[in-house]
């Protein structure tokens, strides 16, 4: 039986207009959502299970987060993951910023417990965007890896993942990676499904295990990272744009005049 | 222990611009710590690369002659060995797709704190103060590292490219690469931006982003493009959703375009998108959010709902 572990994060989302309180965004302007990149990672894992046979592949998700994020985890279960692990601890509650090293230590302990053949992780999270946890995790557990994957073809017989890595400037690198491996998944690799009603019902009955740092054999000191968040501000607008104001007819007409001046639509 | 070691980025025989930006960022750090700036270039035509990297402010360029193209296992092994030899305070890598494929592994192996995608760096006594964005660029944060050493990746186009000619010594570094530990093999490269339309050739681009909400609403954008005699392009989410083919994507992983007029509709202007269109002669932004980053580079802006403005604009050109 093949096992695919997907790292799933619930990210904080921010409204267009917001206020900053100290080194954080005022909670009134924050929402929560399944990390966009992880949505693609979940879909990729579920598609692997569907292609190989759902009885031959187990899809497990792992999330570091408080009880509040179980709704997000249930989304992953509703989309087709088989069971989930949520890691939380009082020590994590107090941490302001969980850095790459801390996340790596926690996820590495889960990987060592679960012994997956493949770990799929989003390229980045939409909130703190370190873009580093997947590769750091791979190195910590001695897996192979590939970062920024936008196409995945699995040869389970040979134990090889043939991937495309999305480089800058419209170039893709074709790479063969030996399993077990961690792949960081880029948006666009697939079309994430919406959970079906049946999926949502089934998700309620799926296993969602909660583990503390103790359960993972970790000391609470892993949480104390080396990074401290000391400031947060809104970047100063450098805009010197001419802004057209008024109703849509007015603004469109003013813009049209400028465009005609530039020879557009002539 | 006060030195800085920066890792050059190259691909398919060319040094990437961020390599010279690493020289600027690295020189600033080395000035603050009172150390030397070391560069390392790994794989490819390392001697030719080293000559080019010898710009003002570089003290030593190390070359690791092993293989042609990027392989993260070769990079990780070589960097760890060179790190032990040089013993720098700061390790600097590009926040490029390849940088992100080795820097986290190197930091883990060396047990270094890692801060990625930085846009500014300062040294304050024993503390490294890094500036980086969060929430897709909505806020800027400062992060402090108090450890003695750190690994840092820098965002491209945030530091100026170093110029001039330096007086660096060029030293071949004899890294021992364990071939058995290499678990991935590059089998080729492919250009993905081909196809029927080359958005790089267009004089006028009507570019659409997430604000369009639904695939069927794209019709509005095509209508506007027809009325203006323009070509349709887009930001990443539209291509990710499969609503437009990959050859229409403007940005870091898509195409870099420089049309006479670029009309960004419902595009917030994430840094990856801006990297692909900031060289346009005239930039127009239509977006409900007056604080969207696209406004920073727009020449003309309308802060209003695209579903009201675009139909009115189509009327203007009918």
């Amino acid at each position: 039986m093949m096992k695919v572990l997907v790292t799933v994060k619930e990210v904080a989302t921010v409204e267009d207009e917001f206020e900053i309180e100290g080194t954080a965004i005022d909670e009134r302007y924050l929402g929560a959502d399944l990390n966009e990149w992880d949505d693609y990672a979940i879909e990729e894992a579920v598609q692997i299970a569907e292609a190989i046979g759902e009885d031959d592949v187990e899809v497990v998700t792992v999330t570091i987060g408080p009880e509040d994020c179980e709704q997000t985890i249930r989304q992953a279960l509703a989309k087709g993951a088989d069971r989930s692990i949520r890691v939380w601890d009082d020590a994590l509650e107090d941490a302001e910023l969980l850095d790459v090293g801390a996340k790596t230590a926690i996820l590495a302990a889960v990987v060592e417990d679960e012994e997956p053949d493949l770990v799929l992780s989003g390229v980045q999270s939409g909130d703190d965007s370190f873009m580093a946890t997947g590769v750091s995790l791979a190195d910590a557990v001695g897996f192979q890896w590939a970062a920024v994957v936008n196409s995945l073809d699995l040869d389970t017989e040979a134990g090889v993942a043939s991937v495309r890595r999305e480089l800058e400037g419209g170039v893709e690198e074709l790479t063969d990676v030996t399993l077990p491996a961690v792949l960081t998944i880029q948006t666009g690799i697939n079309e994430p499904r919406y959970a079906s009603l049946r999926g949502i019902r089934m998700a309620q009955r799926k296993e969602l295990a909660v583990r503390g740092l103790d359960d993972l054999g970790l000391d609470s000191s892993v949480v104390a990272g080396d990074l401290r968040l000391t400031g947060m501000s809104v970047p100063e607008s450098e805009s010197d744009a001419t802004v057209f104001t008024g109703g849509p007819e007015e603004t469109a007409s003013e813009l049209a005049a400028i465009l005609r001046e530039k020879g557009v639509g002539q | 222990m006060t030195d800085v070691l920066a890792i050059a980025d190259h691909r398919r025989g060319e040094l990437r611009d961020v390599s010279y930006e690493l020289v600027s960022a690295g020189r600033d750090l080395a000035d603050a710590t009172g150390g030397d700036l070391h560069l390392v270039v790994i794989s490819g035509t390392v001697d030719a690369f080293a000559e080019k990297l010898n710009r003002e402010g570089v003290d030593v360029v190390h070359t690791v002659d092993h293989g042609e193209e990027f392989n993260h296992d070769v990079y990780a092994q070589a960097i760890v060995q060179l790190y032990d030899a040089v013993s720098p305070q700061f390790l600097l890598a590009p926040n490029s797709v390849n940088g992100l494929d080795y820097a986290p592994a190197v930091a883990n192996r060396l047990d270094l704190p890692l801060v990625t995608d930085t846009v500014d760096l300062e040294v304050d006594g024993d503390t490294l103060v890094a500036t980086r964005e969060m929430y897709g660029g909505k806020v800027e944060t400062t992060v402090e590292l108090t450890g003695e050493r750190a690994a840092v990746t820098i965002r491209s186009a945030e530091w100026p490219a170093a110029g001039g000619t330096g007086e660096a010594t060029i030293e071949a570094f004899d890294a021992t690469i364990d071939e058995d530990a290499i678990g991935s093999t590059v089998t080729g490269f492919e250009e993905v931006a081909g196809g029927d339309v080359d958005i790089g050739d267009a004089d006028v681009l009507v570019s659409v982003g997430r604000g369009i909400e639904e695939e069927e609403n794209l019709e509005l954008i095509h209508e506007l493009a027809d009325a203006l005699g323009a070509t349709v392009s887009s930001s990443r989410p539209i291509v990710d959703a499969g609503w437009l083919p990959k050859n229409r994507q403007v940005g870091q992983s898509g195409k870099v375009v420089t049309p006479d007029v670029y009309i960004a509709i419902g595009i917030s202007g994430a840094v990856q998108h801006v990297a692909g269109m900031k060289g346009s002669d005239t930039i127009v932004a239509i977006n409900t959010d007056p604080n969207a980053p696209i406004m920073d580079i727009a020449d003309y802006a309308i802060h209003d709902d695209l579903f009201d403005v675009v139909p009115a604009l189509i009327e203007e050109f009918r």
Side-chain angles (χ1 to χ4, degrees), chain B residues 42-110:
Chain B
I42 304 163
S43 305
T45 52
V46 288
D47 292 327
F49 288 152
E51 286 300 328
K52 288 184 181 155
L53 288 166
N54 183 9
R55 298 220 168 160
E56 227 166 283
V58 182
D59 296 301
V60 187
V61 183
H62 303 270
T63 59
V64 177
D65 188 7
H66 190 100
E68 281 307 306
E69 285 296 340
F70 174 77
N71 177 288
H72 61 229
D73 291 310
V74 173
Y75 267 59
Q77 290 185 38
I79 295 163
V80 166
Q81 290 169 38
L82 186 59
Y83 185 90
D84 288 338
V86 174
S87 192
Q89 184 170 356
F90 297 121
L91 187 64
L92 274 190
N95 201 71
S96 60
V97 173
N98 282 345
L100 292 169
D101 201 38
Y102 67 80
V106 169
N108 180 72
R109 229 168 269 186
L110 293 169

Side-chain angles (χ1 to χ4, degrees), chain B residues 38 50-52 59 61 82 155 187 191 200 227 260 281 287 310:
Chain B
H38 296 248
E51 286 300 328
K52 288 184 181 155
D59 296 301
V61 183
L82 186 59
R155 178 179 286 184
T187 59
E191 306 268 353
D260 297 338
D281 282 350
N287 199 308
V310 173

